[in-house]
Amino acid sequence: MTIVTTIVVLALVYASFAISASAGLGGSLLMVPTLALFLGSKEGVALAALLLASNNVMKIIAYRKTLPFRKAAFIIVMIVVGAAVGSTLLVEAPEWAVTVGIVVMFIASLAAERMDLERLQTGFAPLLAFASGASSGFSGTSGPLKGVAIRNLDLDRRHFVGAASLASFAGDATKTAIFADAELLGRNSVLIAIAAVPLMALGTWTGSTINRRAGEQTFAVLFWTVMAGYTVRLFVLLLD
């Protein structure tokens, strides 16, 4: 990648960290298409898992006073099992199938956001957690599924982000181990990962500050505008 391209990628990676730290979820929805466009779908998903797992360590530290270990334990276990299944499927799947999975999850996430499906209390938290991990393992993002599962725990805002951070770390760490064993990460991925380390702390601080002080309406508009553009671009790449 050129210097300009690398700067653009790192800027969007930073934005992903900030989104994730402010809402507890959603960072992968920006990071995965960004990395998939520049590195390819499989390597992009693999690098996103590594970066998000590392960033979740920062989030766990930031939200260390509001980590609901007991309430979230079963959700976390189901996400890990699902992530192992999904990421194993990704390793064996053709590149085009992974790209289709990414696009489908982004469209589903946008539809869920528009219809406010995240606020539904379904009572099927364990099943949703497994599906969340499996879809995240294959496409790089779980869309609204993880949010719905964690909402069933009936947590306040800070504890919700704490639970999401624990669950995301467990799932991303599982995926990273499987992807590393399959040797999906190339030289460019390693260099981006190293360059992104200081951005994790900065993005976590930014997101945590937003979580405490501001609403998310403007942030959501910007986020989904970027997402719509990337989804169109992924469609174009799929048709090439």
Side-chain angles (χ1 to χ4, degrees), residues 162-182:
S165 299
L166 288 171
S168 297
F169 171 74
D172 289 327
T174 301
K175 293 187 294 181
T176 298
I178 293 173
F179 295 149
D181 183 63

Side-chain angles (χ1 to χ4, degrees), residues 1-2 17 28 34 53 56 60 64 74 77 93 95 105 113 119 130-131 147 157 160 169 172 175 183 198 227:
M1 294 190 292
T2 65
F17 291 151
S28 62
T34 297
N56 275 305
I60 288 172
R64 60 189 178 279
F74 193 51
V77 170
E95 190 85 7
M105 285 308 301
E113 175 79 5
R119 299 184 185 280
F130 174 82
R157 182 177 179 84
F160 177 89
F169 171 74
D172 289 327
K175 293 187 294 181
E183 299 182 347
M227 272 306 309

Side-chain angles (χ1 to χ4, degrees), residues 81-204:
V81 173
V85 172
S87 53
T88 300
L89 290 175
L90 176 141
V91 171
E92 301 298 331
E95 190 85 7
W96 67 265
V98 180
T99 303
V100 169
I102 293 172
V103 172
V104 168
M105 285 308 301
F106 291 152
I107 293 174
S109 299
L110 180 58
E113 175 79 5
R114 297 289 294 177
M115 294 186 292
D116 204 22
L117 293 182
E118 288 190 22
R119 299 184 185 280
L120 293 177
Q121 296 296 313
T122 66
F124 295 103
L127 179 61
L128 288 170
F130 174 82
S132 164
S135 60
S136 179
F138 187 78
S139 70
T141 179
S142 61
L145 297 176
K146 189 185 299 178
V148 176
I150 296 175
R151 281 187 184 279
N152 276 264
L153 300 178
D154 194 26
L155 302 170
D156 60 52
R157 182 177 179 84
R158 298 289 288 183
H159 283 84
F160 177 89
V161 178
S165 299
L166 288 171
S168 297
F169 171 74
D172 289 327
T174 301
K175 293 187 294 181
T176 298
I178 293 173
F179 295 149
D181 183 63
E183 299 182 347
L184 293 184
L185 297 175
R187 179 175 177 274
N188 283 334
S189 293
V190 174
L191 293 176
I192 291 174
I194 294 172
V197 171
L199 299 180
M200 294 175 188
L202 181 60
T204 300

Side-chain angles (χ1 to χ4, degrees), residues 11-40:
L12 291 171
V13 166
Y14 160 73
S16 302
F17 291 151
I19 291 171
S20 182
S22 64
L25 304 162
S28 62
L29 288 172
L30 179 58
M31 186 180 295
V32 171
T34 297
L35 298 178
L37 287 172
F38 291 105
L39 299 172

